[in-house]
Amino acid sequence: MTDTTLLVTVDSLRYDYYQYMTVTREFLGDSHPATFATNTATPSCFQSIIGGIYPGEVGVDADSNVAVELDSPYKYGISTNRFLSGRYGYNLGFDHFTAPSRHDKGLKDKVAEHMTPQSTLFGVASRVWNAVQGIQRRVSAVDREYRTAADVISEFIDATDDREEWFGWLHFMEPHHPYNPNDGPVSRGEAQQITRRVLNGRASDHDAEIARQLYRGEVEELDYRLERLWDAIPDDTRILFVADHGELLGEYGEWGHHATMCPELLRLPLASRNIPIESDVVSLIDIPTLLLDREYNHGSFQRETAFAASNGNHAAMNRNHVATDDGVVTLDGDSAEDEELMAARAEFEDRADRPVTKDELPEDDLEALGYL
């Protein structure tokens, strides 16, 4: 096995938008055609990506963490999502792990630091802060809501430049909402406002058109930033590039990533370099297996069916179809029939653990990610 291994994960990247990542496609190749999420939200999907397990209660531990298992003298992780932090066990196994800080508190966090996430007072404080923040956006420059890919890549290159052996995990928030790329068709403040309107169901047709342009802009900007990473790492680095889930951009009258079981959320881009992927179907639970080059937890090198569960809904996927409570569709969303896949979905529903729901997650992290 080569001395350098890299896992790159992208939040909310749709399968059909990988086509706009021209630099990354040239470096890694086209996406695997039938890779699927195990859930429709980050906290649960990463139990699979890092732990090789189907989602249950939030977080991972030492028995479900690929970084603990990998034999590497130096392991460096950078997360840009508060649900992927030491609070949830994602720092385990790393020599250095960077995640959004809970100590650099702004006014909102200082007000809330002595409140429990589920308290009424916390909710009131969050709403007051949202109102204050809205005023700030009208009178001053607006920043990105998440740490940028450029910063993440710079930190990682600086940390590994003089090392010959390492494992790296980089998680990027582009193109997670709010969609506000640097070179968008509107200002960043306007972009964030448009994103909120489409997510809240208050958008005009013009808003929806701009929001789709902004989402694509986020994807293309990430691709532009990744060129520096691809140029910097050794040519024989083993690389896996994968999204955690997709994104709805107005399909079914919805935006974002909720519990809707559909190809736009469940079908994922997956590309690799120096890691062969031979299975017709890949599930997120197979990512640790591919990284370790041995089967780990629920992962497999060969699979015919993948499964997902979210908020009481269940899905089964194969190389051609997605089966949900509502029936069967092709990977492009057209109606189809597949009785065997529907039977597999029903069997999975009977035995699957119940993943954590959004209402059960800490409100401070939900609010930081724009869900409250």
Side-chain angles (χ1 to χ4, degrees):
M1 185 178 295
T2 189
D3 295 328
T4 54
T5 300
L6 179 63
L7 172 64
V8 173
T9 56
V10 183
D11 215 302
S12 310
L13 176 62
R14 288 170 60 124
Y15 172 86
D16 54 347
Y17 274 68
Y18 180 67
Q19 66 180 305
Y20 302 121
M21 302 186 72
T22 54
V23 172
T24 299
R25 286 177 56 219
E26 182 177 352
F27 185 71
L28 297 179
D30 291 336
S31 174
H32 184 272
T35 297
F36 299 101
T38 52
N39 192 272
T40 59
T42 295
S44 293
C45 288
F46 271 90
Q47 291 183 291
S48 302
I49 294 173
I50 299 300
I53 59 175
Y54 286 106
E57 295 184 4
V58 69
V60 293
D61 57 28
D63 293 325
S64 56
N65 194 309
V66 68
V68 174
E69 293 293 322
L70 272 165
D71 182 17
S72 176
Y74 189 64
K75 305 173 189 178
Y76 202 102
I78 306 177
S79 165
T80 50
N81 188 312
R82 281 174 57 155
F83 281 116
L84 309 178
S85 66
R87 184 180 195 180
Y88 302 101
Y90 288 97
N91 60 328
L92 296 174
F94 286 97
D95 297 287
H96 181 91
F97 187 82
T98 301
S101 175
R102 308 182 66 82
H103 302 293
D104 298 332
K105 297 181 175 67
L107 172 62
K108 172 195 60 176
D109 292 320
K110 289 177 180 177
V111 169
E113 64 183 343
H114 298 299
M115 307 175 196
T116 61
Q118 303 297 332
S119 69
T120 301
L121 187 57
F122 184 97
V124 172
S126 293
R127 287 190 290 273
V128 170
W129 171 252
N130 286 342
V132 172
Q133 194 177 46
I135 295 172
Q136 288 180 332
R137 288 195 177 96
R138 290 193 290 272
V139 300
S140 62
V142 175
D143 294 328
R144 295 295 282 263
E145 301 241 342
Y146 309 111
R147 187 179 182 190
T148 65
D151 285 347
V152 170
I153 291 167
S154 291
E155 177 186 333
F156 183 73
I157 291 175
D158 289 346
T160 58
D161 187 50
D162 59 349
R163 295 180 180 272
E164 295 183 357
E165 301 178 57
W166 46 257
F167 165 64
W169 169 32
L170 308 181
H171 180 68
F172 297 102
M173 284 299 282
E174 298 95 338
H176 188 283
H177 60 70
Y179 320 130
N180 54 165
N182 286 334
D183 297 321
V186 296
S187 70
R188 178 157 292 134
E190 290 176 284
Q192 293 182 4
Q193 292 170 2
I194 288 171
T195 300
R196 289 187 176 85
R197 288 202 292 271
V198 297
L199 291 171
N200 293 331
R202 297 183 289 105
S204 66
D205 290 343
H206 181 66
D207 283 340
E209 179 182 349
I210 296 296
R212 293 185 188 100
Q213 293 178 37
L214 292 167
Y215 178 87
R216 176 171 170 175
E218 292 264 6
V219 174
E220 293 174 335
E221 182 179 322
L222 174 61
D223 184 51
Y224 171 75
R225 298 300 183 188
L226 283 171
E227 183 171 15
R228 184 184 175 207
L229 177 65
W230 305 143
D231 287 344
I233 60 178
D235 189 61
D236 62 350
T237 300
R238 303 172 68 250
I239 304 170
L240 278 183
F241 172 98
V242 69
D244 56 352
H245 53 73
E247 187 85 340
L248 285 169
L249 299 176
E251 296 89 355
Y252 323 108
E254 297 183 24
W255 289 80
H257 42 280
H258 305 289
T260 303
M261 293 295 192
C262 57
E264 293 84 357
L265 291 182
L266 295 175
R267 190 184 187 191
L268 307 174
L270 168 68
S272 68
R273 185 180 178 93
N274 301 315
I275 297 180
I277 301 174
E278 299 177 354
S279 181
D280 287 343
V281 174
V282 177
S283 167
L284 287 183
I285 60 172
D286 302 324
I287 298 301
T289 291
L290 293 169
L291 289 170
L292 293 167
D293 199 25
R294 61 177 171 83
E295 291 191 349
Y296 181 69
N297 283 341
H298 298 150
S300 174
F301 288 111
Q302 293 290 337
R303 121 175 7 264
E304 296 181 357
T305 309
F307 301 98
S310 181
N311 283 29
N313 301 311
H314 297 81
M317 295 78 68
N318 60 26
R319 61 185 299 177
N320 298 313
H321 298 136
V322 175
T324 70
D325 298 353
D326 297 324
V328 179
V329 296
T330 67
L331 301 190
D332 294 323
D334 299 323
S335 296
E337 294 185 4
D338 193 326
E339 294 183 2
E340 184 175 345
L341 191 62
M342 283 295 289
R345 189 213 66 82
E347 181 181 348
F348 176 71
E349 180 177 4
D350 289 340
R351 61 180 170 81
D353 292 334
R354 185 184 70 84
V356 67
T357 65
K358 187 178 77 170
D359 293 341
E360 297 169 314
L361 296 170
E363 282 192 12
D364 55 337
D365 285 342
L366 285 169
E367 198 276 338
L369 290 167
Y371 292 108
L372 297 176

